[in-house]
Amino acid sequence: FKVELVASEPMVKDPVFIDWDDQGRMWVGEFRTYMKDLDGTGENERSSRVMVLEDTDGDGRMDKSTAFVDDMINVRSVAFVEGGVLVVESGAIWFCQDDDGDLRCDQKTKLMDFATTAYDNIEHAENGLSYSLDNWMYNSKSSRKLAWREGKLDESPSDPRGQWGMATDAYGRLYHNSNSVWFQVDWGMYDRAWPANKKTVGSPTREVFAIRPNTALNRNYKPGSLREDGRVARVTTISGLAVHSHGAFGEEWEGAIFSMSPGTNTVGAFIPMKPFPHSEDYLHQTYADPIWGKREFLASTDERFRPVNGTFGPDGCLYVVDFHRGVIQHKKFLTSYLRRQSEERELDKHIGYGRIYRIVPEDQKPQPSPQNLVAGLSHPHLWWRLRSQKRIVEGDRQDLVPTIRELARNRQASPFARVHAMWTLVGLSDLDAKTTELAINDSDWFVAMTGLRTAGDTKEYGGVFPQVNLADAQRISKSGDFPHALVAYALKVVESGYPKRIVANYVDKPAEWVKRDKELYSSYKKGRELYGNSCGACHQAHGKGLANMAPTLAKSDWVNGSLSRLIGVAVHGLSGPIKVNGKLAENIPPIMPPHGYMKDDQLADVLTYVKNAWGNRSGLVSAQEIANYRIGTERFLPWTEKELSDLE
C-alpha cells in the first residue's frame, strides 16, 4: 500500500467525518470549536462547518473547497438523501438544501433533536447515519435507527451500539467500537444468525503497537499502562472504524477491519481467519519494526497524527481522517495528569489543522462508476451498491421495480447484486413471494439466507415467516451443503418463526389492574411477545404507529370500540381509506395484511395486549371469540371500513 495526502489545512480544519456525493466530491464535517484551549472555551459556538472539497485537475488531491454550511455546532455526521443533505450537529439533525447548485446551503430545516448530550459531553452522543443493507441508517451511541421516506425522517428503536463511528459490510453486518475496544461486529439485521453463541464478535486483543512513546494519555501514570519503552500497552482511545468489504484491497483483505487509535497515533488492522460466515476469529495484523520490534498497520512518529475516523470511498480505497492536534481528550475527562502533560509540552497549541489521507494498493485497478441506478446494484464496490440502493428507495423509484425484480431473480447475476435487489424491493414495499421463494431455493447460501430473512417482508405475510416456505426451510435445516449459520437459521424459523426484531425504547409498564388479574396478565404478556414479532415493526413498540406505515393503536377507537370489528381486522385485514378517532389516516399503505394464519389463542393474546396497553383499558379476549368469528364469517378479502360498520 501507499499513503497519499488528499486534503489538508487551510482547506480543511479539525475534520472528524467524510463522505462523497455522486459526483465524487468529498464532504467534510468539522469540529472547529473542540478544545480550543484546555478549558474547552466556546465549545458550543456556531462556527463549525461542512466543507465540500473537489479535485478539479484529477491528480487525486483536493484543490477547491466550498463552505456548504458554516454556522453549525461541531458537525458529527453527514448523509445524502433525496432532495438534500442531512447534517448532524450537537443537539439536532438538519435537512439542508442547495437550491441553485452552487454547493452552498440555501435552506436549513431542523428535523429532530439528536445528539443532545453533546452539549455537555461531546464524546458520548449520537453520531453515524451509516446506511446499511436493510434501508436504515444506523448510529453509534444511539438506541434508534433512521430512514428518509417521502421527505421525512422516520425513526425506529434499535440496539445501542458503539461510541464513535459506524461501518457496515456486504452482508449487512454492523461494526462499532468504544474507547477501550478495537471493534465489535454483529449481524442483528439477519436476526443474529451469526455469531453462533453470542451477540457480538469482538477484537481478539486490546494490545496496541505504536512507534513513539505515548505519555500524554489519561491513566498512563498507572503501573502497567505503559511498556518499558514508553509506548501504551493497551488501547484506551479508540475512535471510528472502517471495514474493507468489496473494495480495492483484494480478496486477502476482504472483511478486514481498520480501527482508529488517535491516542497512540495508529490505525490497527484485523483480518478474518476464514471468510464469513465460517469463522468468528480475527488476526491482529502487525508488522516488524526495526526500532520498536512491532507496529500497527499504519503508525506515525508525529504525536499530532490523530486518526479519528475512517471509511472506504467510491474508489474502494481506505480514507483516514486525521484530526491533527495535540489535545484530543475532552475537558470533561481531562485529568490533572493529562492537563499538566499538555501544558508542559504545549499540546494545546497549534490548533486548526487537519489532514485526510488515502490508503491505496500499489496495483489498484480503478472501477468505472455505474451507468445508472439499477446497474449500480451490481457494481463491484459496496459503496456504489449501497448508494444506488439508497437513491432508489428514498426516491421511491417504482418505475424501476420490474428491472430490479428481474435482477433479483437472475441466477446468472452476482449473488450480492441479487441481495441488494431484494432489499431494494423491500424498501419500495414491492418484494413478492415468488422472488423470495426463488431465493430460498438458490444454491448460493447468502441469497438463500436473504430469501428466508425477507420472506415475511412481502405484502402477503407482513413480517411473519410464511407457512408456504416451511418445507424449503426444513430442507435447508437438514442440508450439509450450506454454512452452519444458514442451517441454524433455517431450523430456527421452522421451529419458532422469526425471532423478535423490534427493539423497544418504550418501557412497558402493565397497569395495576392488569397485574391483579392473573389470567389477563398471562395473556397480556404472551400477547406482548407476539405483538413485538408480528405487529411492532409497523405499529411500533409504543403503539403510536409509524409515519407512512401504520396508524396509532394507543387510545384508538378501532381498538377500544367494537370487538367484532377489531377481530375482523386482525383475521382478514383492512383496506383503506380509514378514519382513526374521526380523522382520516393519511400516508399509510392501502391494505393492512390479514393475520388469520395465527392460531385462535395467539390472536386472542395479541388483541388482549393491544386492548390493555398504552392507555387502552379493556378485558380479556378469548380464543373462543376468535373461533366464533371464523365460524360465522365466510370471507377472503380484507374488510373496508364501511363493511365493518355492519359488524358493530
Side-chain angles (χ1 to χ4, degrees), residues 396-431:
D396 194 27
R397 294 295 302 273
Q398 297 293 330
D399 58 308
L400 299 178
V401 166
T403 309
I404 298 169
R405 184 173 292 128
E406 183 180 348
L407 174 61
R409 297 178 180 181
N410 183 3
R411 293 182 182 273
Q412 304 305 312
S414 156
F416 293 97
R418 296 179 62 191
V419 166
H420 278 278
M422 291 173 67
W423 279 110
T424 303
L425 293 172
V426 170
L428 293 171
S429 299
D430 269 300
L431 184 67

mmCIF file of all heavy atoms in Angstrom, residues 396-431:
data_model
loop_
_atom_site.group_PDB
_atom_site.id
_atom_site.type_symbol
_atom_site.label_atom_id
_atom_site.label_comp_id
_atom_site.label_asym_id
_atom_site.label_seq_id
_atom_site.Cartn_x
_atom_site.Cartn_y
_atom_site.Cartn_z
ATOM 1 N N ASP A 396 -38.242 6.567 -4.123
ATOM 2 C CA ASP A 396 -39.462 5.795 -4.402
ATOM 3 C C ASP A 396 -39.602 5.512 -5.899
ATOM 4 O O ASP A 396 -40.645 5.745 -6.506
ATOM 5 C CB ASP A 396 -40.699 6.530 -3.883
ATOM 6 C CG ASP A 396 -41.934 5.624 -3.836
ATOM 7 O OD1 ASP A 396 -41.758 4.394 -3.704
ATOM 8 O OD2 ASP A 396 -43.063 6.138 -3.935
ATOM 9 N N ARG A 397 -38.541 4.956 -6.473
ATOM 10 C CA ARG A 397 -38.496 4.726 -7.914
ATOM 11 C C ARG A 397 -39.288 3.473 -8.301
ATOM 12 O O ARG A 397 -38.731 2.433 -8.672
ATOM 13 C CB ARG A 397 -37.045 4.639 -8.369
ATOM 14 C CG ARG A 397 -36.265 5.930 -8.217
ATOM 15 C CD ARG A 397 -36.837 7.030 -9.130
ATOM 16 N NE ARG A 397 -36.830 6.625 -10.525
ATOM 17 C CZ ARG A 397 -35.796 6.784 -11.348
ATOM 18 N NH1 ARG A 397 -34.697 7.380 -10.909
ATOM 19 N NH2 ARG A 397 -35.872 6.395 -12.604
ATOM 20 N N GLN A 398 -40.616 3.604 -8.245
ATOM 21 C CA GLN A 398 -41.483 2.486 -8.612
ATOM 22 C C GLN A 398 -41.325 2.115 -10.086
ATOM 23 O O GLN A 398 -41.581 0.968 -10.462
ATOM 24 C CB GLN A 398 -42.941 2.850 -8.316
ATOM 25 C CG GLN A 398 -43.237 3.112 -6.844
ATOM 26 C CD GLN A 398 -43.110 1.865 -5.990
ATOM 27 O OE1 GLN A 398 -43.348 0.742 -6.463
ATOM 28 N NE2 GLN A 398 -42.716 2.040 -4.732
ATOM 29 N N ASP A 399 -40.897 3.067 -10.903
ATOM 30 C CA ASP A 399 -40.699 2.788 -12.322
ATOM 31 C C ASP A 399 -39.593 1.769 -12.562
ATOM 32 O O ASP A 399 -39.554 1.129 -13.635
ATOM 33 C CB ASP A 399 -40.373 4.079 -13.079
ATOM 34 C CG ASP A 399 -39.130 4.770 -12.538
ATOM 35 O OD1 ASP A 399 -39.060 4.994 -11.308
ATOM 36 O OD2 ASP A 399 -38.215 5.080 -13.336
ATOM 37 N N LEU A 400 -38.715 1.570 -11.577
ATOM 38 C CA LEU A 400 -37.592 0.639 -11.749
ATOM 39 C C LEU A 400 -37.899 -0.759 -11.204
ATOM 40 O O LEU A 400 -37.068 -1.662 -11.322
ATOM 41 C CB LEU A 400 -36.346 1.190 -11.048
ATOM 42 C CG LEU A 400 -35.823 2.540 -11.547
ATOM 43 C CD1 LEU A 400 -34.615 2.974 -10.723
ATOM 44 C CD2 LEU A 400 -35.459 2.471 -13.026
ATOM 45 N N VAL A 401 -39.063 -0.939 -10.587
ATOM 46 C CA VAL A 401 -39.382 -2.206 -9.927
ATOM 47 C C VAL A 401 -39.270 -3.410 -10.868
ATOM 48 O O VAL A 401 -38.657 -4.426 -10.503
ATOM 49 C CB VAL A 401 -40.777 -2.150 -9.276
ATOM 50 C CG1 VAL A 401 -41.268 -3.550 -8.896
ATOM 51 C CG2 VAL A 401 -40.729 -1.268 -8.033
ATOM 52 N N PRO A 402 -39.830 -3.378 -12.084
ATOM 53 C CA PRO A 402 -39.703 -4.558 -12.959
ATOM 54 C C PRO A 402 -38.253 -4.953 -13.235
ATOM 55 O O PRO A 402 -37.901 -6.140 -13.209
ATOM 56 C CB PRO A 402 -40.421 -4.128 -14.241
ATOM 57 C CG PRO A 402 -41.389 -3.075 -13.797
ATOM 58 C CD PRO A 402 -40.678 -2.334 -12.705
ATOM 59 N N THR A 403 -37.404 -3.964 -13.481
ATOM 60 C CA THR A 403 -35.993 -4.251 -13.767
ATOM 61 C C THR A 403 -35.281 -4.777 -12.528
ATOM 62 O O THR A 403 -34.453 -5.702 -12.611
ATOM 63 C CB THR A 403 -35.289 -2.980 -14.267
ATOM 64 O OG1 THR A 403 -36.042 -2.399 -15.318
ATOM 65 C CG2 THR A 403 -33.897 -3.307 -14.779
ATOM 66 N N ILE A 404 -35.585 -4.203 -11.370
ATOM 67 C CA ILE A 404 -34.960 -4.661 -10.127
ATOM 68 C C ILE A 404 -35.417 -6.067 -9.787
ATOM 69 O O ILE A 404 -34.619 -6.915 -9.356
ATOM 70 C CB ILE A 404 -35.297 -3.687 -8.977
ATOM 71 C CG1 ILE A 404 -34.731 -2.301 -9.277
ATOM 72 C CG2 ILE A 404 -34.748 -4.206 -7.651
ATOM 73 C CD1 ILE A 404 -35.222 -1.224 -8.334
ATOM 74 N N ARG A 405 -36.698 -6.354 -9.999
ATOM 75 C CA ARG A 405 -37.214 -7.705 -9.731
ATOM 76 C C ARG A 405 -36.543 -8.721 -10.657
ATOM 77 O O ARG A 405 -36.207 -9.839 -10.249
ATOM 78 C CB ARG A 405 -38.730 -7.733 -9.904
ATOM 79 C CG ARG A 405 -39.358 -9.073 -9.549
ATOM 80 C CD ARG A 405 -40.869 -9.011 -9.577
ATOM 81 N NE ARG A 405 -41.377 -8.173 -8.498
ATOM 82 C CZ ARG A 405 -42.226 -7.175 -8.647
ATOM 83 N NH1 ARG A 405 -42.671 -6.868 -9.868
ATOM 84 N NH2 ARG A 405 -42.636 -6.481 -7.609
ATOM 85 N N GLU A 406 -36.336 -8.326 -11.894
ATOM 86 C CA GLU A 406 -35.644 -9.206 -12.847
ATOM 87 C C GLU A 406 -34.229 -9.511 -12.361
ATOM 88 O O GLU A 406 -33.756 -10.656 -12.442
ATOM 89 C CB GLU A 406 -35.615 -8.547 -14.226
ATOM 90 C CG GLU A 406 -34.976 -9.398 -15.315
ATOM 91 C CD GLU A 406 -34.979 -8.696 -16.661
ATOM 92 O OE1 GLU A 406 -35.672 -7.670 -16.808
ATOM 93 O OE2 GLU A 406 -34.272 -9.171 -17.573
ATOM 94 N N LEU A 407 -33.540 -8.500 -11.840
ATOM 95 C CA LEU A 407 -32.194 -8.706 -11.298
ATOM 96 C C LEU A 407 -32.239 -9.639 -10.092
ATOM 97 O O LEU A 407 -31.389 -10.522 -9.957
ATOM 98 C CB LEU A 407 -31.581 -7.359 -10.911
ATOM 99 C CG LEU A 407 -30.227 -7.398 -10.195
ATOM 100 C CD1 LEU A 407 -29.167 -8.060 -11.070
ATOM 101 C CD2 LEU A 407 -29.790 -5.988 -9.792
ATOM 102 N N ALA A 408 -33.198 -9.452 -9.213
ATOM 103 C CA ALA A 408 -33.299 -10.281 -8.016
ATOM 104 C C ALA A 408 -33.503 -11.751 -8.360
ATOM 105 O O ALA A 408 -33.068 -12.642 -7.619
ATOM 106 C CB ALA A 408 -34.446 -9.784 -7.141
ATOM 107 N N ARG A 409 -34.148 -12.018 -9.482
ATOM 108 C CA ARG A 409 -34.454 -13.403 -9.875
ATOM 109 C C ARG A 409 -33.418 -13.999 -10.827
ATOM 110 O O ARG A 409 -33.496 -15.189 -11.165
ATOM 111 C CB ARG A 409 -35.827 -13.453 -10.547
ATOM 112 C CG ARG A 409 -36.981 -13.044 -9.639
ATOM 113 C CD ARG A 409 -38.291 -13.082 -10.416
ATOM 114 N NE ARG A 409 -39.430 -12.694 -9.589
ATOM 115 C CZ ARG A 409 -40.693 -12.666 -10.018
ATOM 116 N NH1 ARG A 409 -40.964 -12.992 -11.278
ATOM 117 N NH2 ARG A 409 -41.663 -12.300 -9.206
ATOM 118 N N ASN A 410 -32.447 -13.206 -11.244
ATOM 119 C CA ASN A 410 -31.486 -13.636 -12.263
ATOM 120 C C ASN A 410 -30.379 -14.486 -11.640
ATOM 121 O O ASN A 410 -29.487 -13.973 -10.966
ATOM 122 C CB ASN A 410 -30.887 -12.409 -12.945
ATOM 123 C CG ASN A 410 -29.931 -12.770 -14.063
ATOM 124 O OD1 ASN A 410 -29.747 -13.948 -14.388
ATOM 125 N ND2 ASN A 410 -29.323 -11.755 -14.656
ATOM 126 N N ARG A 411 -30.405 -15.777 -11.870
ATOM 127 C CA ARG A 411 -29.415 -16.687 -11.291
ATOM 128 C C ARG A 411 -28.027 -16.498 -11.892
ATOM 129 O O ARG A 411 -27.037 -16.995 -11.345
ATOM 130 C CB ARG A 411 -29.855 -18.143 -11.478
ATOM 131 C CG ARG A 411 -31.112 -18.503 -10.686
ATOM 132 C CD ARG A 411 -31.479 -19.969 -10.867
ATOM 133 N NE ARG A 411 -32.704 -20.322 -10.167
ATOM 134 C CZ ARG A 411 -32.766 -20.713 -8.900
ATOM 135 N NH1 ARG A 411 -31.651 -20.806 -8.199
ATOM 136 N NH2 ARG A 411 -33.921 -21.018 -8.341
ATOM 137 N N GLN A 412 -27.927 -15.777 -12.999
ATOM 138 C CA GLN A 412 -26.622 -15.523 -13.604
ATOM 139 C C GLN A 412 -25.959 -14.276 -13.028
ATOM 140 O O GLN A 412 -24.777 -14.042 -13.234
ATOM 141 C CB GLN A 412 -26.778 -15.350 -15.128
ATOM 142 C CG GLN A 412 -27.459 -16.516 -15.829
ATOM 143 C CD GLN A 412 -26.769 -17.838 -15.561
ATOM 144 O OE1 GLN A 412 -25.544 -17.930 -15.678
ATOM 145 N NE2 GLN A 412 -27.540 -18.852 -15.196
ATOM 146 N N ALA A 413 -26.717 -13.492 -12.305
ATOM 147 C CA ALA A 413 -26.176 -12.256 -11.734
ATOM 148 C C ALA A 413 -25.369 -12.562 -10.483
ATOM 149 O O ALA A 413 -25.461 -13.646 -9.894
ATOM 150 C CB ALA A 413 -27.316 -11.294 -11.415
ATOM 151 N N SER A 414 -24.578 -11.591 -10.059
ATOM 152 C CA SER A 414 -23.827 -11.730 -8.813
ATOM 153 C C SER A 414 -24.785 -11.956 -7.648
ATOM 154 O O SER A 414 -25.831 -11.302 -7.562
ATOM 155 C CB SER A 414 -23.019 -10.458 -8.563
ATOM 156 O OG SER A 414 -22.731 -10.287 -7.192
ATOM 157 N N PRO A 415 -24.445 -12.883 -6.727
ATOM 158 C CA PRO A 415 -25.310 -13.083 -5.553
ATOM 159 C C PRO A 415 -25.525 -11.795 -4.763
ATOM 160 O O PRO A 415 -26.627 -11.551 -4.260
ATOM 161 C CB PRO A 415 -24.543 -14.120 -4.731
ATOM 162 C CG PRO A 415 -23.699 -14.855 -5.715
ATOM 163 C CD PRO A 415 -23.323 -13.838 -6.749
ATOM 164 N N PHE A 416 -24.500 -10.961 -4.671
ATOM 165 C CA PHE A 416 -24.646 -9.728 -3.898
ATOM 166 C C PHE A 416 -25.546 -8.734 -4.619
ATOM 167 O O PHE A 416 -26.306 -8.006 -3.981
ATOM 168 C CB PHE A 416 -23.275 -9.122 -3.616
ATOM 169 C CG PHE A 416 -22.453 -9.962 -2.691
ATOM 170 C CD1 PHE A 416 -21.500 -10.847 -3.187
ATOM 171 C CD2 PHE A 416 -22.657 -9.901 -1.321
ATOM 172 C CE1 PHE A 416 -20.761 -11.643 -2.328
ATOM 173 C CE2 PHE A 416 -21.916 -10.690 -0.452
ATOM 174 C CZ PHE A 416 -20.969 -11.576 -0.959
ATOM 175 N N ALA A 417 -25.485 -8.700 -5.949
ATOM 176 C CA ALA A 417 -26.403 -7.846 -6.703
ATOM 177 C C ALA A 417 -27.844 -8.286 -6.463
ATOM 178 O O ALA A 417 -28.746 -7.451 -6.289
ATOM 179 C CB ALA A 417 -26.063 -7.900 -8.188
ATOM 180 N N ARG A 418 -28.079 -9.584 -6.437
ATOM 181 C CA ARG A 418 -29.433 -10.095 -6.207
ATOM 182 C C ARG A 418 -29.919 -9.748 -4.803
ATOM 183 O O ARG A 418 -31.082 -9.392 -4.598
ATOM 184 C CB ARG A 418 -29.461 -11.607 -6.423
ATOM 185 C CG ARG A 418 -29.140 -12.026 -7.856
ATOM 186 C CD ARG A 418 -29.147 -13.530 -8.009
ATOM 187 N NE ARG A 418 -30.468 -14.078 -7.702
ATOM 188 C CZ ARG A 418 -30.709 -15.380 -7.546
ATOM 189 N NH1 ARG A 418 -29.707 -16.241 -7.641
ATOM 190 N NH2 ARG A 418 -31.930 -15.793 -7.291
ATOM 191 N N VAL A 419 -29.017 -9.834 -3.829
ATOM 192 C CA VAL A 419 -29.391 -9.485 -2.455
ATOM 193 C C VAL A 419 -29.742 -8.004 -2.357
ATOM 194 O O VAL A 419 -30.744 -7.628 -1.731
ATOM 195 C CB VAL A 419 -28.260 -9.853 -1.483
ATOM 196 C CG1 VAL A 419 -28.480 -9.201 -0.122
ATOM 197 C CG2 VAL A 419 -28.151 -11.369 -1.342
ATOM 198 N N HIS A 420 -28.927 -7.154 -2.975
ATOM 199 C CA HIS A 420 -29.250 -5.720 -2.969
ATOM 200 C C HIS A 420 -30.586 -5.470 -3.651
ATOM 201 O O HIS A 420 -31.378 -4.632 -3.190
ATOM 202 C CB HIS A 420 -28.153 -4.929 -3.670
ATOM 203 C CG HIS A 420 -26.977 -4.626 -2.799
ATOM 204 N ND1 HIS A 420 -26.953 -3.569 -1.919
ATOM 205 C CD2 HIS A 420 -25.785 -5.248 -2.665
ATOM 206 C CE1 HIS A 420 -25.798 -3.553 -1.277
ATOM 207 N NE2 HIS A 420 -25.071 -4.559 -1.714
ATOM 208 N N ALA A 421 -30.850 -6.192 -4.741
ATOM 209 C CA ALA A 421 -32.126 -6.015 -5.441
ATOM 210 C C ALA A 421 -33.293 -6.402 -4.542
ATOM 211 O O ALA A 421 -34.326 -5.716 -4.508
ATOM 212 C CB ALA A 421 -32.134 -6.848 -6.719
ATOM 213 N N MET A 422 -33.138 -7.485 -3.779
ATOM 214 C CA MET A 422 -34.215 -7.913 -2.884
ATOM 215 C C MET A 422 -34.466 -6.890 -1.784
ATOM 216 O O MET A 422 -35.615 -6.541 -1.485
ATOM 217 C CB MET A 422 -33.878 -9.278 -2.290
ATOM 218 C CG MET A 422 -33.898 -10.412 -3.303
ATOM 219 S SD MET A 422 -33.307 -11.977 -2.625
ATOM 220 C CE MET A 422 -34.611 -12.325 -1.448
ATOM 221 N N TRP A 423 -33.410 -6.407 -1.170
ATOM 222 C CA TRP A 423 -33.590 -5.412 -0.113
ATOM 223 C C TRP A 423 -34.111 -4.093 -0.676
ATOM 224 O O TRP A 423 -34.851 -3.364 0.011
ATOM 225 C CB TRP A 423 -32.281 -5.183 0.636
ATOM 226 C CG TRP A 423 -32.006 -6.220 1.682
ATOM 227 C CD1 TRP A 423 -31.042 -7.188 1.661
ATOM 228 C CD2 TRP A 423 -32.703 -6.392 2.922
ATOM 229 N NE1 TRP A 423 -31.098 -7.946 2.801
ATOM 230 C CE2 TRP A 423 -32.105 -7.489 3.592
ATOM 231 C CE3 TRP A 423 -33.771 -5.739 3.528
ATOM 232 C CZ2 TRP A 423 -32.543 -7.928 4.840
ATOM 233 C CZ3 TRP A 423 -34.210 -6.182 4.767
ATOM 234 C CH2 TRP A 423 -33.600 -7.257 5.411
ATOM 235 N N THR A 424 -33.765 -3.768 -1.920
ATOM 236 C CA THR A 424 -34.324 -2.578 -2.560
ATOM 237 C C THR A 424 -35.827 -2.729 -2.736
ATOM 238 O O THR A 424 -36.599 -1.792 -2.486
ATOM 239 C CB THR A 424 -33.649 -2.330 -3.917
ATOM 240 O OG1 THR A 424 -32.236 -2.199 -3.734
ATOM 241 C CG2 THR A 424 -34.181 -1.061 -4.569
ATOM 242 N N LEU A 425 -36.267 -3.913 -3.134
ATOM 243 C CA LEU A 425 -37.700 -4.178 -3.266
ATOM 244 C C LEU A 425 -38.400 -4.098 -1.913
ATOM 245 O O LEU A 425 -39.535 -3.629 -1.814
ATOM 246 C CB LEU A 425 -37.931 -5.548 -3.911
ATOM 247 C CG LEU A 425 -37.498 -5.664 -5.375
ATOM 248 C CD1 LEU A 425 -37.589 -7.115 -5.843
ATOM 249 C CD2 LEU A 425 -38.362 -4.767 -6.269
ATOM 250 N N VAL A 426 -37.718 -4.553 -0.852
ATOM 251 C CA VAL A 426 -38.281 -4.400 0.491
ATOM 252 C C VAL A 426 -38.497 -2.916 0.790
ATOM 253 O O VAL A 426 -39.553 -2.502 1.287
ATOM 254 C CB VAL A 426 -37.357 -5.026 1.559
ATOM 255 C CG1 VAL A 426 -37.826 -4.648 2.963
ATOM 256 C CG2 VAL A 426 -37.321 -6.545 1.416
ATOM 257 N N GLY A 427 -37.485 -2.100 0.478
ATOM 258 C CA GLY A 427 -37.588 -0.673 0.735
ATOM 259 C C GLY A 427 -38.677 0.007 -0.068
ATOM 260 O O GLY A 427 -39.254 1.002 0.368
ATOM 261 N N LEU A 428 -38.988 -0.543 -1.256
ATOM 262 C CA LEU A 428 -40.042 0.001 -2.106
ATOM 263 C C LEU A 428 -41.400 -0.637 -1.823
ATOM 264 O O LEU A 428 -42.386 -0.319 -2.494
ATOM 265 C CB LEU A 428 -39.684 -0.215 -3.581
ATOM 266 C CG LEU A 428 -38.476 0.555 -4.111
ATOM 267 C CD1 LEU A 428 -38.103 0.081 -5.514
ATOM 268 C CD2 LEU A 428 -38.740 2.056 -4.113
ATOM 269 N N SER A 429 -41.439 -1.556 -0.827
ATOM 270 C CA SER A 429 -42.667 -2.307 -0.491
ATOM 271 C C SER A 429 -43.179 -3.083 -1.688
ATOM 272 O O SER A 429 -44.388 -3.210 -1.903
ATOM 273 C CB SER A 429 -43.755 -1.358 0.033
ATOM 274 O OG SER A 429 -43.335 -0.692 1.196
ATOM 275 N N ASP A 430 -42.249 -3.638 -2.473
ATOM 276 C CA ASP A 430 -42.628 -4.376 -3.672
ATOM 277 C C ASP A 430 -41.973 -5.749 -3.758
ATOM 278 O O ASP A 430 -41.919 -6.342 -4.845
ATOM 279 C CB ASP A 430 -42.268 -3.566 -4.929
ATOM 280 C CG ASP A 430 -43.403 -2.669 -5.384
ATOM 281 O OD1 ASP A 430 -44.481 -3.201 -5.679
ATOM 282 O OD2 ASP A 430 -43.213 -1.439 -5.420
ATOM 283 N N LEU A 431 -41.459 -6.269 -2.652
ATOM 284 C CA LEU A 431 -40.935 -7.630 -2.675
ATOM 285 C C LEU A 431 -42.109 -8.599 -2.732
ATOM 286 O O LEU A 431 -43.089 -8.445 -2.000
ATOM 287 C CB LEU A 431 -40.096 -7.901 -1.429
ATOM 288 C CG LEU A 431 -39.406 -9.272 -1.382
ATOM 289 C CD1 LEU A 431 -38.341 -9.370 -2.465
ATOM 290 C CD2 LEU A 431 -38.779 -9.513 -0.008
#
